[in-house]
Structures are given as C-alpha cells and as structure tokens.
Amino acid sequence: MRTRKKPTVVDVASRAGVAVGTVSRVINHSEAVSPHTRDAVWRAIAELGFRPNNVARSMRTRVTHTIGFVIPDISNPLFSVIARAAEDTLQNVGYLLNIANSGESLEREVKLIRAFAERQCDGLMFVTNNESDMRMLEALTSSRLPLVALDREIDLPIDKVMTDHARGLRLAVKYLLELGHRRIALINASDRIAPGRERMRGFKEAHSELGLKVDAALIRSGRLDQDFGATQMGALLDLKRPPTAIIAGGNQILVGVLRALQLRDLTVPRDLSLIGCDDTAVTQVFSPPITVVDRDLVQIGRTAAQILIDRLSGQGRGLQPSRALLPTELKIRGSCAPRR
Amino acid sequence: MRTRKKPTVVDVASRAGVAVGTVSRVINHSEAVSPHTRDAVWRAIAELGFRPNNVARSMRTRVTHTIGFVIPDISNPLFSVIARAAEDTLQNVGYLLNIANSGESLEREVKLIRAFAERQCDGLMFVTNNESDMRMLEALTSSRLPLVALDREIDLPIDKVMTDHARGLRLAVKYLLELGHRRIALINASDRIAPGRERMRGFKEAHSELGLKVDAALIRSGRLDQDFGATQMGALLDLKRPPTAIIAGGNQILVGVLRALQLRDLTVPRDLSLIGCDDTAVTQVFSPPITVVDRDLVQIGRTAAQILIDRLSGQGRGLQPSRALLPTELKIRGSCAPRR
DNA sequence: GTGAAAGCGCTAACAT
DNA sequence: ATGTTAGCGCTTTCAC
C-alpha cells in the first residue's frame, strides 16, 4: 500500500460532485445540507479515507481546542492526580491537554508559556514556582491567554484555584497541641509560594491562639522535594531539644522525612508524631497510616479545567476573574500519639 | 490597554520596510540576511510585540513539533515517571508532549489516536490496554503517524520499547524458592497485555526449571488496579492452603495487596513474604522496605522519546522498526523471609 | 441548499 | 541579499 498524499476537502468535493464549502458544512454538521448530498459527501469521505486537518481548521477558526499546563513535575503525585482530573474534564468536551514540566525553573516556565502562546493554545493552567517574579508576570501577561493559576497567588487579574492550607495547618497543630505536644516542627515549602506562606500562617496562628510561642528553630522553610525533607528532618533530630511532632508540608517532603526516620530506626508514632500534607498511596499504606491534612486534588484539577471551559465557551467571557478557595481537612489516622 | 489585533509578519515587514519573506528568514535564523536588515526586523518585532503563529507555520511546514502520548492513567506513578522522562527529552529539542488518558477504554484509545492524527502531531507514543484488538490496530495504522509502543506487543511493524519482565519474575520466584517457599502466588495483569504474559512466563519458567508445579489457584490474572490487588489478596488468604509468598505484578496491585494485609492485620514478612513490581515511593518507605522487581522507568520514557526524535529528524527515517528490550533486576530489601 | 472565492499567517520557490 | 507570490487545507461570507 503506497502512502499517497492525504486526501483533502478538495478531493472529497470532487469525488462527491459538490463544492468544498459543502464538504465543510457536512463535516461540521451544519444543518443546511440536503440529506442526499450529505450522504454523498460521507460516502466520498469513507471511500477516500479522508480525515480533516485540524491545523488548517485551527488556522481559520483560531481555536485549537488545546489547553497548556505548566507544572513543576508530573511525576509528583500531587500534580499527576490534578492533571488526570483536568485532562478528563477537558477530554470530555473535546480539548486536549498539553503538559509541560518546568522543573521549577523560571527560565523554563517562561519559555513554556511563550511556546504555548505561539502554538495558539486556547488557555493555560499553571503552577509556577516563581509567583512574583516580574519576568513570569510579563510572560503571563504578554501571552494574552486565558489563564488559571493553581494554588499560587499571582498578582494579576486572572482566575485562581486556591486551597485553604492555613485552616488545615491550624487543625493539625491544634490536634498535636491537644495531644500534649509543645515542640512541633514544620518542614515547609518556601514562603515565596502561596502554600508555603499559608501553611506557615496556619501553623503560627494555631500556636498564638493558645498563647504559645513557636521556636524558630523548629520551622524549616525551603523547598518541596524529598531531599529537603530528609535533610531538615535530620537536622531537627540533631537539635539539643528536638521536636516531639513533625508536620511535613508537602507529599515529597513527607517521603524525605520518612526516609530520614527509617535511616535512624525511628518509629512513628512511638518516637515521633507525624502529620503529612496531601493524601497519597504512601500515607495510606504506611504502617501506621499517616494522619494528613487532606484536600480534594481531583476537584482542584476539575475546577481549573472547568473554569477554562466556561471562559472559552463564552459562558464566562467577560466575567470578573474568579477565585475558588477549596477546603482542607484533617484526616486523623495512626501516626500521632500523646506526648510521653 | 486595548487588545488590538495580533501583529503578523505583514505588520512587521511594513514596519521594518522589508518584505514578508525577509521577516520569515529573520525569525527562522536563515543565514541569507544582511546584519542591517536583520536588526531592523528584530526592532520592528520588538516594537510590535510580534510573536509568530505556530499554527500557520505548521500549516506550511507540515510539522507541529508535538508528540501525542496515550496512556491509561497519568496518576499512576508508573506512567507519570515515564511521561516526565519523555517530556524532558522532547522539551530539550523543542517538542511538546500532549498527554491523554484512556482509562484503559478501547473506545477512548481509538478516539484519542484519531484526535492526535487529525491534529497532525508528529508522532505518537502509546500504552494500550487492547494490544491485539483489530479496531486498535486499524486506528494505529490509519493514523499514518510514526508510532512507538511502550511495553505492549503490537503486531505492527513499529518501534517498541519493551521490558524484560520474564527475567525479573524468574529472579523473584527463584529467590522465594530459595527461601523455602513452595506456595507462591502471583497477582497479575491480564494475559492480554505483554507485561501480564511475560511476568506469567517468568513465573512458570522459574518453577519448572526446578521441576516444581504451580498451583493454578495461586495465579490471579486480571487487572492492574488496586481493587483487583486487594480483592485477589483477600481471596488468596481465604484459600484452604493459602500462599506463603506473594508477588504483586504491578505497583497498583501492590498497593491493593498492602491494603488487604492492613485490613487483616497481617505483617510483612512475618506473616507473608511479598515482592512488588516497580520501585515507587510506597515500596521504598514502607516498613520494611519492599523487595521489588525493578526497571529504569526514566530510561523507558527517554528511549521512547529519543526513538521518535531520531525518526523525525531524519536520522532514522527509513530504518527498520526497532525493538528495545530494557532489563529488570531484583532489588532485595526486607519484605521476604524464609518460610517458617 | 449549494457554489464560488476570499482569506487565516506563514514559508519557500522563484525572481531580481 | 531581498522582494514577490503561490499555496498549505480549511471555514465562511456572499451570491445564486
């Protein structure tokens, strides 16, 4: 079988004995076509094996039915679950999701935003690690794309899907406080991104509401990766007065913490109480199952996607930028014990 | 700031006082442009805020620099790690990855392959759950796209990146046999996909090499999800003669197994020896760390992406379909004990 | 209800 | 070295 040139609307039209415009009307299911010609066109399409070229179509219609998604790392379960939910939502209405990893690099984030804009995608969802960098804001603005920020406090009039991390942390700290813990450590993201700031805020508020001071040595803000979690956990254990409870402000930080504890043969909750953020396979099958500050990741992805769909469908064309604040809850399991 | 129409090459050309062809030469960095006009064009581009429209460009050049990736579920760490590696590799050479989840449905797989073909993506990587379904083969063939199958034995002359699951399973079984186990169970994927068949083959070969029979009741082939793992684990434990060791043929199956054991308060390796397939956060931080049949997922993603890059760059244009067989190894950790 | 024709924004072949 | 022009495959007026 020879790879002959792909048939186009012109080929279909001549085969069906109609004009190209008519072919277009048929494949776009517009009403104004007689049943007879419609059948003739479909027959020609089938005989030729014609498949519309969506690039050409996009060129005319100026819609690509493609959404870009810039994230730090799809292999982080946090993002892969959100991406799955977003993609499902989009796929259901005929959109495709273009996922790109930034590795948290500003340079790559900016490059990717530009790439998505040049490719004329219809909208962009993103999780930046450079929330308030001018180059980031500039790239975002000049893209002229409908934008949805996920869990990042971008100073731009765009749609945002935020999480109430502060509340979750307040609940977590109060719970530990009630168990008698007074030296609670927080290993956290940088305060240059919203989740870091919000978790910190909740952490401090819970303490101050009860008139308690927090020892600055117990707060470790920095990055979200496993290595940071492991390193900081180690450093905390080496303190003259180590904490009796740990809150890991991120699922990767938690894995790092768990590694560090494993290395030192420490057992949860016997030696240390532990609370994680975000409910993953790890927190669920760990023994004992880990108490977590949870949120509905599927809802986050779905919400972000739906916002874009609404904007693009004209439902939400001129509307003010929205701001969803999704809840967190404390899922109490077996990783915390009363202070001895 | 008004959203005036986006500037095109025509606008740039007239502003710079040159022809559109010259603008095209400049933005494509072709040599034949004098430094003077080049500068003038770049200036005009900057002043206008011109950004090339890649849809129009693709229409002419017939390349989109986009690769499609059809997978069952990006939230499965197996696929998200592969996707991350593939995307990194592609991004480095200017490609974007379009990830779509099939949810293992044939209908969605076929629809997505068509969608990618219509959108003129330059190549397609895929993990199908319907390896030998005629409709799948038809969709693949008629897409006329450069194809790379990941870990699936498609009966088509296309590039494949396979894994030597059989060897990994042989090693796992032998290890358990050496520990004295004689009732080893395998909870496995369907034999309708290559990993299922290959794992089964390795499992049986290891037994027969030592002249041992396998009890059919200990082999559970079906699906790759957590529920299947949990259900089958439960059923195995309810056997009159339950197994003393379990091999979970997939990372999600393993999570299901762990859940089932948790439910019955069974401890590994005291009550049961356990081996997983694929090394994830779960197998690493579980206590004890779980012995696994491991493989390099990053290499799988990278290899698949590189194959496509080579084909598209002309390096591997007319070459025969390739078939990579990546190795597996047994990582012995703490989840197996001698039979009591 | 259908045909004819004008582009969408860009690249590439052909002139000059 | 640069200008001119013909499309790429499709949708969408505008006639008829």
Side-chain angles (χ1 to χ4, degrees):
Chain A
M1 192 181 84
R2 194 160 59 271
T3 301
R4 59 188 183 290
K5 224 170 115 302
K6 283 186 193 165
T8 72
V9 279
V10 177
D11 303 317
V12 175
S14 74
R15 171 127 197 167
V18 299
V20 293
T22 303
V23 175
S24 175
R25 284 171 201 121
V26 170
I27 62 184
N28 290 296
H29 305 99
S30 69
E31 299 306 311
V33 182
S34 77
H36 179 259
T37 42
R38 187 163 40 66
D39 292 349
V41 170
W42 279 122
R43 203 174 319 119
I45 287 174
E47 288 164 357
L48 262 36
F50 167 83
R51 298 263 93 205
N53 178 327
N54 258 309
V55 171
R57 186 179 269 175
S58 292
M59 167 112 124
R60 268 301 315 221
T61 61
R62 342 200 56 121
V63 262
T64 54
H65 289 286
T66 299
I67 301 296
F69 194 11
V70 177
I71 50 176
D73 178 9
I74 189 67
S75 72
N76 180 330
L78 170 64
F79 300 122
S80 68
V81 172
I82 291 175
R84 168 75 210 246
E87 203 274 329
D88 272 350
T89 308
L90 291 168
Q91 194 184 126
N92 280 339
V93 294
Y95 282 86
L96 247 34
L97 222 213
N98 230 304
I99 298 174
N101 300 290
S102 68
E104 303 192 341
S105 135
L106 169 66
E107 189 197 353
R108 278 172 75 175
E109 288 180 343
V110 168
K111 197 175 289 182
L112 289 169
I113 291 166
R114 297 233 170 88
F116 282 130
E118 293 187 3
R119 282 154 190 258
Q120 316 296 118
C121 69
D122 297 338
L124 181 66
M125 321 194 319
F126 66 96
V127 180
T128 175
N129 205 43
N130 301 276
E131 219 175 65
S132 49
D133 188 291
M134 284 310 294
R135 287 160 294 182
M136 171 63 33
L137 299 186
E138 211 288 314
L140 253 13
T141 308
S142 65
S143 76
R144 299 179 176 202
L145 253 26
L147 261 22
V148 181
L150 279 78
D151 216 9
R152 295 296 183 270
E153 200 55 76
I154 298 286
D155 188 19
L156 248 30
I158 62 175
D159 291 311
K160 288 165 202 160
V161 178
M162 307 299 289
T163 301
D164 194 354
H165 297 290
R167 177 164 179 280
L169 260 284
R170 257 191 320 262
L171 295 174
V173 172
K174 281 188 182 161
Y175 171 63
L176 290 169
L177 254 19
E178 282 165 14
L179 287 174
H181 294 279
R182 284 301 174 271
R183 290 188 65 71
I184 305 172
L186 173 65
I187 306 181
N188 199 16
S190 155
D191 62 2
R192 286 170 37 251
I193 56 176
R197 287 193 303 275
E198 290 298 296
R199 287 184 177 130
M200 175 79 84
R201 186 163 68 80
F203 183 84
K204 289 185 171 165
E205 284 177 5
H207 278 87
S208 64
E209 274 174 30
L210 275 78
L212 266 21
K213 281 229 159 60
V214 322
D215 181 349
L218 297 183
I219 297 189
R220 307 294 174 130
S221 296
R223 299 195 319 269
L224 276 167
D225 53 288
Q226 292 187 18
D227 282 348
F228 185 73
T231 311
Q232 296 304 318
M233 185 69 250
L236 285 166
L237 291 170
D238 289 338
L239 250 33
K240 322 98 233 142
R241 298 179 57 210
T244 61
I246 307 286
I247 300 179
N251 75 81
Q252 294 298 295
I253 289 177
L254 178 72
V255 172
V257 165
L258 258 15
R259 279 191 209 289
L261 296 180
Q262 192 175 275
L263 227 59
R264 303 191 181 216
D265 261 313
L266 260 25
T267 299
V268 165
R270 200 193 57 198
D271 304 314
L272 212 56
S273 285
L274 178 60
I275 295 184
C277 288
D278 289 327
D279 198 15
T280 62
V282 167
T283 58
Q284 290 171 24
V285 303
F286 195 80
S287 184
I290 298 172
T291 295
V292 290
V293 173
D294 193 25
R295 53 175 161 166
D296 188 343
L297 298 178
V298 169
Q299 197 193 350
I300 293 177
R302 198 185 282 151
T303 303
Q306 193 61 51
I307 287 172
L308 239 23
I309 291 168
D310 290 346
R311 288 246 178 247
L312 296 172
S313 72
Q315 301 288 328
R317 259 301 153 56
L319 271 56
Q320 290 294 312
S322 66
R323 182 193 170 84
L325 184 64
L326 304 182
T328 50
E329 58 166 323
L330 184 66
K331 272 197 179 146
I332 296 179
R333 301 212 270 234
S335 62
C336 299
R339 186 179 58 159
R340 289 168 307 169
Chain B
M1 190 181 85
R2 194 159 57 272
T3 301
R4 61 187 181 291
K5 221 170 116 306
K6 282 186 194 166
T8 71
V9 280
V10 177
D11 303 317
V12 174
S14 74
R15 172 125 194 170
V18 299
V20 292
T22 303
V23 175
S24 175
R25 283 173 201 119
V26 170
I27 62 183
N28 289 297
H29 305 99
S30 62
E31 298 307 311
V33 182
S34 79
H36 179 261
T37 41
R38 189 166 35 68
D39 291 349
V41 169
W42 279 122
R43 203 175 318 118
I45 286 174
E47 289 165 356
L48 261 38
F50 167 82
R51 298 264 94 204
N53 179 327
N54 258 310
V55 170
R57 185 178 270 175
S58 292
M59 168 109 130
R60 265 305 312 221
T61 61
R62 341 199 57 119
V63 278
T64 55
H65 288 286
T66 299
I67 301 296
F69 195 11
V70 177
I71 50 177
D73 178 9
I74 189 67
S75 72
N76 180 329
L78 169 63
F79 300 122
S80 68
V81 171
I82 292 175
R84 169 73 209 249
E87 204 276 327
D88 273 350
T89 307
L90 292 168
Q91 194 184 128
N92 281 339
V93 294
Y95 282 86
L96 247 34
L97 222 214
N98 230 305
I99 299 173
N101 300 290
S102 67
E104 304 194 338
S105 132
L106 169 66
E107 188 196 353
R108 278 172 75 176
E109 288 179 342
V110 169
K111 198 176 286 181
L112 289 169
I113 291 166
R114 296 233 170 88
F116 282 130
E118 292 187 4
R119 281 153 190 260
Q120 316 296 119
C121 67
D122 297 339
L124 181 66
M125 319 193 322
F126 67 96
V127 180
T128 175
N129 205 42
N130 300 277
E131 220 176 63
S132 49
D133 188 291
M134 284 311 294
R135 286 161 293 183
M136 171 62 35
L137 299 186
E138 211 289 315
L140 253 13
T141 307
S142 65
S143 75
R144 298 178 176 204
L145 254 26
L147 262 21
V148 181
L150 280 80
D151 217 7
R152 295 295 184 272
E153 200 56 75
I154 298 286
D155 187 19
L156 247 32
I158 62 175
D159 291 312
K160 289 166 201 161
V161 179
M162 308 299 289
T163 300
D164 194 354
H165 297 290
R167 178 165 178 279
L169 260 283
R170 249 182 338 252
L171 295 174
V173 171
K174 281 186 182 162
Y175 172 63
L176 291 170
L177 254 19
E178 282 164 15
L179 287 174
H181 293 279
R182 285 301 174 271
R183 290 190 64 73
I184 305 171
L186 172 64
I187 305 182
N188 200 17
S190 156
D191 61 2
R192 286 171 37 249
I193 57 177
R197 286 192 303 274
E198 290 298 296
R199 286 183 178 130
M200 175 79 83
R201 185 162 68 82
F203 183 84
K204 289 185 171 167
E205 284 177 4
H207 278 86
S208 62
E209 276 175 29
L210 276 78
L212 264 24
K213 280 229 158 62
V214 322
D215 181 348
L218 298 182
I219 297 188
R220 307 293 174 131
S221 297
R223 299 195 319 267
L224 276 167
D225 53 289
Q226 292 187 16
D227 282 349
F228 184 73
T231 309
Q232 297 305 319
M233 185 70 250
L236 286 167
L237 291 170
D238 289 338
L239 252 32
K240 320 99 233 144
R241 298 179 55 209
T244 61
I246 307 284
I247 300 178
N251 76 80
Q252 294 297 295
I253 288 177
L254 178 72
V255 172
V257 165
L258 258 16
R259 278 192 209 289
L261 296 180
Q262 193 175 272
L263 226 60
R264 302 191 182 214
D265 261 314
L266 260 23
T267 298
V268 165
R270 200 193 57 200
D271 303 315
L272 213 55
S273 286
L274 178 61
I275 295 185
C277 287
D278 290 326
D279 199 15
T280 62
V282 166
T283 58
Q284 289 170 25
V285 304
F286 194 80
S287 186
I290 297 172
T291 295
V292 290
V293 173
D294 193 25
R295 53 175 163 168
D296 189 343
L297 298 179
V298 169
Q299 198 194 346
I300 293 177
R302 198 185 282 150
T303 303
Q306 194 60 52
I307 286 172
L308 239 22
I309 292 168
D310 291 345
R311 287 246 178 246
L312 296 172
S313 72
Q315 300 287 330
R317 259 303 151 57
L319 270 55
Q320 289 296 312
S322 66
R323 181 192 171 86
L325 183 66
L326 304 182
T328 50
E329 59 167 322
L330 183 67
K331 274 196 178 147
I332 296 180
R333 302 212 269 236
S335 61
C336 298
R339 186 181 56 159
R340 291 169 305 170

